[in-house]
Amino acid sequence: MVDELNKTIDVAARDPSWYGIDNRELESRRRWTITTRTQVGDVKKSVVARKENGNSASAMCRELMKLPISHKSDRSYQDSAEDNDDFIVSESDRQMLLINGSRQQDEELDELSASVERIRGVGLTIHKELLAQEKIIDDLGTEMDSTTNRLDFVQKKVAMIMKKASAKGQIMMILFLLVLFIILFILVFLT
């Protein structure tokens, strides 16, 4: 636990203004963790020594109670402990805020993913429609080529007939071609 507190203090030392503490406070917390680590080490040594000597549990408790808390006064020690508790609570609160923010981001990403999926579906539908229209345009182009070829053939025939026909025959031919044009126009563009 003391090592975790030390790591937390190191994190806070990277950007103290973010956590609302100053360098004096950081040093105070570091001294507290060093003192606590020393006390824990002393307790461990004492317990190991007592076990090796075979002393009873009550004797060990009495020995542990004799260990000095620190070189500070009780009031200063309590203030440091309260400051550290406040620091731990604020870190815990900050981590909870980060977790809640992460959850909110996850929800937003889920919504974004659903939107992208809908857009993908619309894109696929548009793609299918464009392919169908491309086929229709290709068919129309083929029909136009066929109609153009027929029209060229008819125009050549008419030109040959016009050369052979007289003036009255040419007028009749023009009327016939005009009627034929109207019929073709109706067939091609209105059906």
Side-chain angles (χ1 to χ4, degrees):
M1 291 286 231
V2 175
D3 289 335
E4 291 297 319
L5 285 174
N6 205 23
K7 288 178 185 176
T8 305
I9 292 170
D10 289 340
V11 168
R14 289 186 204 139
D15 189 8
S17 62
W18 174 261
Y19 301 102
I21 57 176
D22 57 7
N23 287 334
R24 185 180 58 80
E25 180 68 24
L26 286 171
E27 286 306 314
S28 168
R29 291 170 192 253
R30 281 193 176 114
R31 281 193 304 273
W32 183 87
T33 56
I34 291 169
T35 304
T36 305
R37 184 177 290 121
T38 304
Q39 289 175 357
V40 168
D42 291 344
V43 169
K44 284 182 181 178
K45 287 177 189 175
S46 176
V47 169
V48 169
R50 295 291 178 206
K51 281 185 180 178
E52 290 174 357
N53 292 336
N55 286 348
S56 68
S58 62
M60 276 194 281
C61 287
R62 271 186 262 123
E63 181 64 30
L64 290 175
M65 293 299 210
K66 291 181 189 175
L67 289 174
I69 291 177
S70 73
H71 61 282
K72 298 180 182 180
S73 69
D74 287 342
R75 180 76 178 141
S76 174
Y77 177 75
Q78 286 175 347
D79 289 344
S80 291
E82 287 176 10
D83 288 345
N84 286 329
D85 289 343
D86 291 344
F87 178 73
I88 291 170
V89 167
S90 70
E91 278 300 303
S92 175
D93 290 345
R94 190 178 77 71
Q95 288 176 358
M96 289 304 292
L97 285 173
L98 288 174
I99 289 170
N100 289 338
S102 174
R103 285 183 188 143
Q104 183 180 6
Q105 285 178 346
D106 288 346
E107 291 171 1
E108 289 173 358
L109 285 175
D110 289 342
E111 290 175 12
L112 182 62
S113 175
S115 296
V116 167
E117 198 60 37
R118 284 191 300 270
I119 291 171
R120 179 182 172 271
V122 169
L124 289 174
T125 303
I126 291 171
H127 177 72
K128 288 177 185 176
E129 184 65 30
L130 286 175
L131 289 176
Q133 288 183 6
E134 181 182 17
K135 185 178 183 310
I136 291 170
I137 290 172
D138 287 344
D139 292 344
L140 181 63
T142 304
E143 288 179 21
M144 288 294 289
D145 289 342
S146 174
T147 305
T148 302
N149 289 338
R150 282 189 233 144
L151 188 59
D152 287 343
F153 178 73
V154 169
Q155 283 177 343
K156 287 178 185 176
K157 287 276 192 179
V158 168
M160 283 180 23
I161 292 173
M162 292 292 276
K163 284 182 185 178
K164 293 180 182 178
S166 64
K168 186 177 176 183
Q170 286 181 359
I171 291 178
M172 292 299 281
M173 187 59 70
I174 291 173
L175 289 175
F176 173 73
L177 288 176
L178 185 62
V179 170
L180 182 63
F181 177 73
I182 292 171
I183 292 171
L184 287 175
F185 181 79
I186 291 170
L187 288 175
V188 170
F189 292 106
L190 297 179
T191 56

